[in-house]
Amino acid sequence: MTLMPDAPHKTYIVQGEQAIGFRPDHMVNTILGSCVSVCLWDSARSIGGMNHILLPEAQSSALGAGASAMERLINALMKAGAAKSDCKAKVFGGAAILAGLSDIGARNAGFALGYLENEGIEVVAHSTGGRSARQIRFWPATGQAQQRIVKASDVAPEPAIAVETGNDIELL
């Protein structure tokens, strides 16, 4: 696919992936259940990125492993010109989708928030927990993020997700 210079750029990421960008019209999006995404950006340099963390304790070589996913995102941003000291974060996901099972979502969210704290990266907003999936849109150059609660009827052919009513949330 060839992008025209004026065409908006959208990137969809899944478990274990990440994307970075610096164009004002570049948007990264994903859908999260128990997984977590960290949106990280350097507003001074208008560059940022988002990852999709699957499991915090997975083997360090696994793509969705928490520590390696965070290291890959931070390293990619720094390689592209971001300064870690100027980065801020927004964290999303970590829902308890399936009742009766261990709450991997809470562990994922706890990992992401703890990792950022240990790295000295300020978390300016987060939306974690609950029982519903979320669709996240993130504009890496500006740090703008949008969250939409995903209803079971919006997802196919995945297993049923607990339905929660709610409005779109925009975190600026």
Side-chain angles (χ1 to χ4, degrees), residues 3 30 33-34 49 55 64 67 81 106 110 115-116 122 128 130-131 147 152 156 162 166 169 171:
L3 291 175
T30 195
S34 59
L55 296 169
Y115 186 97
L116 292 164
E122 179 184 3
T128 59
R131 301 211 39 88
Q147 169 183 270
I169 298 171
L171 301 173

Side-chain angles (χ1 to χ4, degrees), residues 60-162:
S60 61
S61 61
L63 283 178
S68 75
M70 289 303 304
E71 289 169 9
R72 279 194 322 276
L73 179 59
I74 291 169
N75 289 340
L77 289 174
M78 290 173 52
K79 184 176 180 181
K84 184 178 168 186
S85 60
D86 289 334
C87 286
K88 298 200 179 323
K90 294 178 182 176
V91 179
F92 299 93
I97 298 295
L98 300 174
L101 296 180
S102 68
D103 194 355
I104 185 63
R107 292 196 332 254
N108 282 337
F111 162 79
L113 294 168
Y115 186 97
L116 292 164
E117 181 180 359
N118 288 339
E119 292 294 316
I121 297 172
E122 179 184 3
V123 176
V124 297
H126 66 90
S127 175
T128 59
R131 301 211 39 88
S132 296
R134 297 164 167 84
Q135 178 185 25
I136 306 302
R137 293 188 207 171
F138 177 62
W139 286 263
T142 65
Q144 179 184 357
Q146 293 178 338
Q147 169 183 270
R148 182 177 70 87
I149 299 300
V150 178
K151 298 179 177 105
S153 60
D154 294 339
V155 180
E158 297 293 324
I161 297 172

